[in-house]
Amino acid sequence: MPDPTVPPTPPVPLDALLARADLGLRRIAGPADPAVVLHWAHTSEMADPYPYLLGGELLLSAGVHIPDGAGTGYFDAYVSRIVAAGGAALGFGVAPVHDTVPGALVEACEMHGLPLLEVPPRTTFSAVARALWQLMAQARTAELRRVTEAQQSLATAAARPNPVPSVLQQLARRLGGRAVLYGSEGTRIAAAGPDPGEAVRTTLAKLAEVVRPSGEEPSPSSASDTVAGLRLVAHALGNGEGFVLGTAAPQRDAGDHTIASVAAVLLSLLTGERHSGSGAGRSSALVRLLLGAAPAEVAPLLGEDRWRVVHGRPDGRVAPDPVAASALGAALGSSLVDVAGEVVRVLVPDGRTVERVQGWTLGVSTAASPRDWPAADTQAARALARARATRTPLLRHGDRPAALTDLVPPAEAAAHARALLAPIEQSPALVDTLRTWLSLHGSWDRTAVALDVHRNTVRQRIARCAALLDADLDDPDVRMELWFALRTP
């Protein structure tokens, strides 16, 4: 799953920023590694910027924080904290505080492997940040253009007389790798792209077995691995007949994920659900609904008794189109998809787990029988609205772990608490901050005073707790559950 602290905009190589002649930036220490990328720029004159960094930043400083007579120890501690926070590079502004970059800072950056950039007096930090945003916008535009062109080429391939091999050929070309379609028995039906070798073929076939429905337990919709420098991914096609799409490519970014998802949707449509009994039953159900039958009467034709309604909205301001909606349905394992304005609605069988989908914000209802579908639709809409308000990728209506009050035996309560808090237990600072924040009823200022830290530090730590725990900390039920867990011996 994508890291919630990383913005959706593509990162920019550090070398691309250095290539901007108008900025005049110069690397004076650290590795000249083309793999170093920047996610954002941040200006700070704090002696310890660690609490204010999320990782991937170009940290800009004019050295205001450097005390007179600072020695090697000061700069070593300063740089080590930036590296520990995941900072990508340090930009040091020459003038008005320092005429040159301190030599001890250069040595510390070289020792810790942190790229150090000299920012000339004529270049403002705002200009550096603006240039970085411009490069990110250009990268985003290029990515969207690549994905759009790939979608069009895949749709064209699907309309050809021999569609399955054509779609695989286009997918392999767009990913720059290998694309394979496996049948329900694990046999290779078709493939396109250069042969990656025996090790990759074997691993990709094993991944296909992982995602293929077994009929015993719900299978994941995708599985991945890395072999010989290639990213291997297996996608279970949403036709319920055991077909699997496998890809092996040198890279796997958000654009590649979208392209592969579109191909999976097209292959799902091409590999037979429209010829299968379940497909015929669903078509019959839709016809009967259109002719006035009640939902409860046609629900048995869909093959499930209880369903969840999922409302999805693409990240950004782009309205969903039918191709994107079908890709979401494939990712959720359902072909029952409806585009309603800026929202896509999907009916998902209760037995299939709804997980996060990259590039989408989702609201999920509770499982409901046909007569309660309208209420479930309302639940999903409210969950989506709250997910967007709290910037949560996925929010379920009313879902939370079993109440600790139900776990009467102390040993079971302690085990439950350990499991609930496991994602943050390795960080005492996060645990202490969460405990204090909950005890003070979510007050940022009182928590900051109690812990003797800045209120922004409290906000960042609580946001990190919410991400690691995958919990809505605005939900009073969730707060109560965490409070009991934190107080369990």
Side-chain angles (χ1 to χ4, degrees):
M1 290 301 157
D3 187 340
T5 64
V6 176
T9 305
V12 172
L14 175 59
D15 288 348
L17 192 65
L18 289 170
R20 289 281 298 254
D22 58 317
L23 298 178
L25 303 178
R26 186 169 65 95
R27 178 166 31 211
I28 58 177
D33 185 356
V36 175
V37 296
L38 306 175
H39 288 282
W40 34 39
H42 177 67
T43 301
S44 174
E45 296 298 342
M46 303 295 293
D48 180 11
Y50 181 96
Y52 305 95
L53 301 180
L54 294 174
E57 294 95 345
L58 168 62
L59 178 62
L60 299 169
S61 172
V64 177
H65 59 87
I66 301 175
D68 294 337
T72 303
Y74 177 86
F75 291 104
D76 179 74
Y78 176 67
V79 174
S80 66
R81 292 290 282 173
I82 298 174
V83 173
L90 173 63
F92 193 90
V94 176
V97 182
H98 297 269
D99 295 332
T100 60
V101 180
L105 178 59
V106 176
E107 294 176 0
C109 288
E110 193 69 41
M111 181 178 66
H112 289 280
L114 179 68
L116 175 61
L117 313 183
E118 180 185 74
V119 183
R122 64 180 176 84
T123 301
T124 64
F125 288 171
S126 295
V128 175
R130 183 173 62 247
L132 181 58
W133 306 147
Q134 290 172 346
L135 291 170
M136 286 182 172
Q138 293 170 7
R140 181 60 172 167
T141 300
E143 181 187 54
L144 291 175
R145 183 181 298 113
R146 181 173 75 93
V147 171
T148 301
E149 292 174 351
Q151 289 177 340
Q152 294 172 347
S153 66
L154 288 169
T156 301
R160 291 173 181 167
N162 197 10
V164 171
S166 298
V167 170
L168 291 175
Q169 290 172 4
Q170 278 296 325
L171 177 60
R173 185 169 74 85
R174 294 291 175 175
L175 297 183
R178 179 81 163 174
V180 183
L181 178 64
Y182 298 95
S184 58
E185 301 299 326
T187 56
R188 191 181 69 182
I189 296 177
D195 188 348
E198 179 64 27
V200 173
R201 289 199 305 270
T202 301
T203 304
L204 194 57
K206 291 180 179 178
L207 290 176
E209 291 299 321
V210 171
V211 302
R212 180 174 292 107
S214 62
E216 299 175 357
E217 297 181 357
S219 302
S221 58
S222 64
S224 61
D225 198 354
T226 302
V227 177
L230 297 177
R231 180 68 170 171
L232 279 56
V233 183
H235 301 266
L237 300 189
N239 53 28
E241 297 185 10
F243 289 91
V244 176
L245 170 64
T247 60
Q251 61 180 6
R252 184 71 174 180
D253 56 24
D256 294 321
H257 178 83
T258 302
I259 294 170
S261 296
V262 172
V265 171
L266 293 172
L267 290 170
S268 296
L269 298 174
L270 294 170
T271 49
E273 177 166 318
R274 64 177 180 267
H275 303 300
S276 68
S278 62
R282 292 180 179 181
S283 296
S284 178
L286 294 176
V287 170
R288 294 188 189 186
L289 284 173
L290 290 172
L291 295 178
E297 296 177 11
V298 302
L301 296 174
L302 300 177
E304 296 285 344
D305 295 329
R306 293 168 64 81
W307 296 72
R308 295 181 188 272
V309 179
V310 179
H311 280 211
R313 186 163 176 172
D315 297 339
R317 298 183 178 180
V318 180
D321 55 25
V323 174
S326 297
L328 175 62
L332 297 176
S334 175
S335 60
L336 300 177
V337 180
D338 171 51
V339 180
E342 297 181 343
V343 174
V344 176
R345 302 188 298 176
V346 186
L347 266 180
V348 179
D350 183 27
R352 182 175 291 274
T353 302
V354 178
E355 300 177 346
R356 294 179 180 179
V357 177
Q358 186 174 10
W360 291 83
T361 300
L362 304 179
V364 186
S365 76
T366 57
S369 57
R371 68 178 183 180
D372 295 324
W373 284 351
D377 185 50
T378 301
Q379 291 176 358
R382 291 175 177 172
L384 174 62
R386 185 160 187 169
R388 295 185 66 238
T390 58
R391 298 182 180 179
T392 304
L394 184 149
L395 197 147
R396 307 176 194 274
H397 177 83
D399 279 2
R400 64 185 183 94
L404 283 177
T405 52
D406 297 332
L407 304 175
V408 177
E412 293 187 24
H416 180 78
R418 287 194 299 271
L420 189 63
L421 299 174
I424 63 172
E425 66 178 354
Q426 299 301 321
S427 176
L430 291 182
V431 174
D432 291 342
T433 302
L434 180 60
R435 180 185 291 109
T436 305
W437 184 73
L438 290 173
S439 71
L440 296 174
H441 308 290
S443 170
W444 307 110
D445 292 328
R446 294 169 62 192
T447 303
V449 172
L451 296 175
D452 195 23
V453 296
H454 195 277
R455 70 193 308 269
N456 287 344
T457 302
V458 176
R459 288 184 177 274
Q460 291 173 1
R461 290 179 182 176
I462 294 301
R464 187 61 177 160
C465 288
L468 291 174
L469 294 170
D470 191 20
D472 177 11
L473 297 184
D474 290 328
D475 187 336
D477 285 336
V478 174
R479 291 194 186 192
M480 179 185 69
E481 199 74 17
L482 290 172
W483 178 247
F484 280 129
L486 289 166
R487 289 177 59 85
T488 300

